[in-house]
Amino acid sequence: SPILPSIDKEEITMAEDYLNKLYALPKKASNEKLQRSSSMSMRLKEMQEFFGLKITGTLNEETLNVMKKPRCGVPDVAA
Amino acid sequence: YSVFPGNYKWKKHDLTYRIENYTPDMSVAEVDDSIQRALQVWADVSPLRFTRIYSGVADIMISFAVGDHGDGYPFDGPNGFLAHAFPPFDGIGGDAHFDDDETFAFKSYNGYNLFLVAAHEFGHSLGLEHSQDPGALMYPNYVHRDVDTFSLPQDDVNGIQFLYGPNPDVNPDKPKPTPPTTPDRCDPKMVLDAVTMLRGEIMFFKSRFMWRSSPFSSTVEQHLIKSFWPQIPENIDAAFESPFDDKVYIFKGQKVWAIYGYDVAQGYPKSLSSFNLPNKVKKVDAVLYDEETYKILFFVNNKIYSYDEQTRRMDKGYPKPVENVFLGMTGKVTAAFQFKGFNYLFSGSKMFEFSSYHKKLFRVLSNNYFLPC
């Protein structure tokens, strides 16, 4: 799973919203759990690479800290 | 730098802008000034020129809005997304929207500086995408900078000149200051300002930046110092961590700041004399905290002052020549830290490794030994 157990639901929702708006993570339309988690993992890797974080594909505290920073609303990857 | 795919750029150099409404956070004059200076940043280094209009449709329409404001990209309340802008094309292209659920500020720290946010958004309005360079104005995260000394970073200059070329009106007799660049940790000639531990990580300071290196992972993150501690100066002289009080002390000139996590401790900056250093000492070159003896070693030119953290007194018999304490250390020490029982003294682009107990020289390494390329 791309999400560590220690991350709470609210943070997961925030992360999904971040990746949806800024890294073109598809919306919840796909209800295939496995497909969804691989897509999220891929987008997480893109975001971690962009910010020079350790590229793990998992939602960890370091990645969450960057997601929580105030920023510009334009996507980081060409939408 | 990065540009929008598909050649999104203005086909003309003379652009118009219009401020449609205002935020209650600032006076009209402050908003006008911030917007004008934010556009001037780009005009200074390119052929682009901006003219303000007060009615009709401008190339760059500027407005403050909250929540869903009809462009398909609703704002999200305080913090989070501060603003957004559209690349050059007809209609909404070039327009910049600012989230008025934020608190915008003209000069001070309490709020997001409108000039900085606007200058970034106008980069998008002109065709630039986000940059991965943490020192760039087009870096996506908001970073507070000193707006009085602001100068467009080189990465952004390269981006806008890739799209539009340089400013043809530069007066060769009055060249602009060279834009600030982002230091490269792989540069073999780089000289670090300071190095310190910080809760198990190693922090390397250089000009406006710091690198964070965790001994347990291979990644090294680079950040603007002010993205962590807006009040801390750039180009610092020295730094050390005191596990005793869980603080990192930052030195620049005769001033000392104390950092506790993300916060700057109350009552700082203090003067060097708070460490019992004599008044004749105007600056320190490096500081090393010895975890075995609780001594703080201040390197001043080629001398060492030893301060006992427990008694809060300077030890007798100091200052001593550096070479008498660290045999073989002849150059000026520019940074120092202790890690896993070894003392690391930086001089120029070299790092000298001493055993902390015997103070014997073990190895001479390159100064990015802990900053893998």
Side-chain angles (χ1 to χ4, degrees):
Chain A
S1 160
I3 297 171
L4 291 180
S6 61
I7 309 287
D8 66 36
K9 267 218 174 90
E10 199 180 311
E11 287 177 322
I12 294 169
T13 307
M14 185 277 283
E16 285 181 339
D17 187 55
Y18 186 98
L19 294 173
N20 165 254
K21 284 184 171 139
L22 300 168
Y23 285 83
L25 172 72
K27 279 256 185 222
K28 275 193 185 294
S30 147
N31 51 21
E32 284 290 334
K33 210 160 189 204
L34 186 61
Q35 187 183 356
R36 178 156 187 72
S37 79
S38 71
S39 173
M40 183 158 179
S41 178
M42 194 170 68
R43 298 290 187 265
L44 271 172
K45 281 182 182 172
E46 268 184 88
M47 180 258 178
Q48 287 164 340
E49 185 186 5
F50 186 95
F51 284 98
L53 303 175
K54 189 170 185 189
I55 301 172
T56 62
T58 58
L59 186 59
N60 53 36
E61 196 178 333
E62 200 177 21
T63 305
L64 263 178
N65 281 342
V66 174
M67 286 181 169
K68 288 173 182 172
K69 286 180 183 278
R71 56 162 288 155
C72 168
V74 173
D76 294 336
V77 294
Chain B
Y1 68 88
S2 172
V3 295
F4 288 103
N7 200 27
Y8 281 93
K9 59 179 278 192
W10 295 99
K11 307 293 184 284
K12 56 184 180 179
H13 291 165
D14 292 310
L15 300 173
T16 57
Y17 73 97
R18 178 180 163 199
I19 302 174
E20 295 188 82
N21 61 358
Y22 286 83
T23 171
D25 306 339
M26 297 162 60
S27 70
V28 166
E30 287 174 336
V31 171
D32 289 349
D33 178 70
S34 301
I35 296 297
Q36 187 273 325
R37 280 186 295 119
L39 289 164
Q40 191 59 39
V41 154
W42 300 104
D44 281 346
V45 293
S46 75
L48 297 170
R49 298 294 173 265
F50 302 95
T51 306
R52 183 175 181 180
I53 63 172
Y54 293 84
S55 62
V57 179
D59 298 309
I60 301 175
M61 298 288 274
I62 297 157
S63 58
F64 292 85
V66 294
D68 185 355
H69 51 286
D71 62 2
Y73 297 93
F75 283 134
D76 55 355
N79 306 313
F81 296 160
L82 307 181
H84 56 224
F86 297 86
F89 59 88
D90 295 335
I92 202 171
D95 291 1
H97 302 161
F98 298 85
D99 181 353
D100 219 353
D101 275 330
E102 314 300 348
T103 300
F104 290 106
F106 183 60
K107 272 223 182 243
S108 58
Y109 288 101
N110 51 6
Y112 297 108
N113 186 281
L114 180 60
F115 161 73
L116 290 173
V117 176
H120 172 101
E121 297 308 326
F122 294 151
H124 291 313
S125 300
L126 299 176
L128 290 179
E129 253 197 333
H130 284 147
S131 167
Q132 291 183 249
D133 177 340
L137 177 65
M138 293 312 294
Y139 189 67
N141 289 352
Y142 175 84
V143 176
H144 189 77
R145 305 165 193 257
D146 185 345
V147 293
D148 293 329
T149 60
F150 179 84
S151 165
L152 189 65
Q154 188 64 58
D155 182 75
D156 306 290
V157 172
N158 296 344
I160 203 71
Q161 291 186 350
F162 170 80
L163 287 171
Y164 300 101
N167 178 1
D169 304 330
V170 168
N171 177 349
D173 300 327
K174 283 191 203 152
K176 287 273 181 206
T178 52
T181 54
T182 301
D184 176 4
R185 67 174 189 267
C186 303
D187 172 2
K189 296 190 298 303
M190 182 181 66
V191 176
L192 291 162
D193 295 333
V195 179
T196 178
M197 299 302 296
L198 193 154
R199 294 179 182 174
E201 295 184 333
I202 310 174
M203 310 293 273
F204 303 83
F205 292 84
K206 176 67 180 174
S207 85
R208 302 175 294 141
F209 292 88
M210 61 183 186
W211 286 284
R212 255 176 95 182
S213 171
S214 163
F216 312 106
S217 95
S218 61
T219 56
V220 174
E221 293 173 11
Q222 184 176 24
H223 299 278
L224 281 167
I225 294 171
K226 285 189 180 299
S227 71
F228 276 68
W229 307 293
Q231 297 93 327
I232 296 299
E234 299 157 346
N235 306 297
I236 66 173
D237 296 332
F240 80 91
E241 176 185 49
S242 162
F244 199 64
D245 49 23
D246 191 22
K247 281 195 181 78
V248 169
Y249 290 86
I250 302 281
F251 296 80
K252 183 167 184 179
Q254 291 184 274
K255 289 183 179 172
V256 182
W257 289 260
I259 296 175
Y260 181 72
Y262 283 111
D263 299 320
V264 176
Q266 296 286 323
Y268 287 89
K270 294 183 178 178
S271 101
L272 281 176
S273 58
S274 60
F275 283 94
N276 239 198
L277 283 161
N279 285 333
K280 69 179 179 180
V281 174
K282 302 300 180 195
K283 173 182 184 301
V284 297
D285 302 318
V287 183
L288 183 131
Y289 183 87
D290 191 328
E291 294 198 17
E292 303 292 321
T293 60
Y294 302 115
K295 303 284 186 189
I296 305 170
L297 301 183
F298 292 92
F299 295 80
V300 182
N301 297 322
N302 58 0
K303 292 218 175 17
I304 290 184
Y305 291 80
S306 175
Y307 176 82
D308 185 309
E309 190 176 33
Q310 290 180 305
T311 64
R312 294 191 179 279
R313 287 188 180 290
M314 200 56 79
D315 289 333
K316 286 195 177 31
Y318 287 87
K320 291 179 180 173
V322 169
E323 205 176 345
N324 289 10
V325 180
F326 293 93
L327 199 63
M329 187 73 229
T330 53
K332 180 180 181 183
V333 177
T334 50
F337 79 114
Q338 186 179 84
F339 181 62
K340 290 193 173 176
F342 287 89
N343 291 328
Y344 294 92
L345 306 187
F346 295 76
S347 181
S349 61
K350 291 294 171 210
M351 182 174 71
F352 296 75
E353 180 183 59
F354 292 83
S355 123
S356 71
Y357 188 72
H358 300 298
K359 302 219 173 8
K360 229 179 91 228
L361 179 61
F362 263 11
R363 296 183 291 176
V364 178
L365 305 162
S366 70
N367 72 359
N368 65 357
Y369 177 79
F370 287 104
L371 282 173
C373 286

